[in-house]
Amino acid sequence: MNTAKDDPTTVAVLVTGIGGFLAGHIALQLLEQGYRVRGSLRLIGRSDAVHRQLGAHTHKDALERLSFVQADLDGEDGWTAAVEGCSYVIHTASPFPPGFPEDEDALIQTARDGALRVLDAAHRAGVKRVVLTSSIAATNHGDGQAPFTEENWTDPEGPRATPYYKSKTLTERAAWIFAEKVGLDLAVINPSMILGPLLGENFGTSVGLVHHLMTGKFEGIPRFGFSVVDVRDVADAHIRAMTNPAAKSQRFIVGGRFFWLKELVAILAACFPEYGARLPSGEISDEVVKAIAQSDPDARTIVHELNQDLSVSAAKAQRVLNWRSRPEKEAICASAQSLIDLGLVRAPAI
């Protein structure tokens, strides 16, 4: 029986894809709480870089409880060894390409089959619980309406189902079917758009949007929006779901207020006025976005979401996990500040 009384110093947790933005923050919080952390990497050669990156944000004693294993979502090798001796698995690893991938089926296969490999290895190893990172991409694009909840599911065949949304939806569906079939203790976290402080120079699609805005890549602001949540709070939700008995067989949306892109731009302009000239100022019409989408894969991903209220409710996570989030403005500005501090966004010439 899963309990919340584990002594962290005796517990090992596998965090898949530990080199990722969210996984790094999960690993840091686990280490700070005393857990032993084993991180999976597709290429073990990256372990030294990840070790240094995490080491810059925690103390030496914590790093002594960190280890790495090589395992690839596209193959069987390594997963048995990865879960051996672990009490819990937090599976965050999943492909998240910018725009439309060239091969939609390959994206879906890697995400779904990779998750099932991890779940199967966890089941065979007798882990107490697996926490799977899904997304509101798996809740917000079906027949429901805002605010979306855990009762909602994306329709993989619907017009708003981009390849990424399909991959998250089909992967989560497959995970629930597998868990029910074999009796695996599973909990799922469905985050909204994850922003917040970077741990290193690599950043994904979400922080990439802030990077594009801060470097003048946007010529105008489409009527497009999303719910924002801080990466530190998403990491906290995963750990709460890992140890809370009531999280068994539950999915949890973790997300904050819905922002139209022009509202996010206004926050960046207020926090970083010296970058104001680079930020887009005027809105562009839906018709222009649709025309751009004919040749721009990034624009194509939002065409069916223009003027859509995609707000979500995190009430269940707040009630069951006692989860709370910091102000969304803090997450937005922390992303931008990290990009500046790391030299990924340079100050405008005077």
Side-chain angles (χ1 to χ4, degrees), residues 120-196:
D120 182 56
H123 169 61
R124 287 186 283 106
V127 304
K128 293 183 177 182
R129 175 172 291 166
V130 176
V131 180
L132 171 73
T133 309
S134 184
S135 169
I136 60 168
T139 65
N140 282 20
H141 306 285
D143 294 331
Q145 59 185 12
F148 293 90
T149 73
E150 293 82 2
E151 299 300 314
N152 296 119
W153 279 92
T154 290
D155 176 6
E157 303 303 321
R160 297 211 306 269
T162 66
Y164 174 69
Y165 296 174
K166 288 182 185 180
S167 77
K168 298 306 286 189
T169 305
L170 295 173
T171 295
E172 187 186 343
R173 287 284 199 191
W176 284 120
I177 291 169
F178 176 85
E180 183 176 0
K181 178 181 177 182
V182 302
L184 177 68
D185 187 331
L186 176 68
V188 172
I189 301 295
N190 300 77
S192 63
M193 183 167 179
I194 303 175
L195 297 177

Side-chain angles (χ1 to χ4, degrees), residues 102-118:
E102 292 183 7
D103 190 340
E104 172 183 314
D105 292 336
L107 170 71
I108 294 169
Q109 183 175 344
T110 294
R112 181 181 55 206
D113 292 359
L116 292 176
R117 288 187 178 99
V118 173

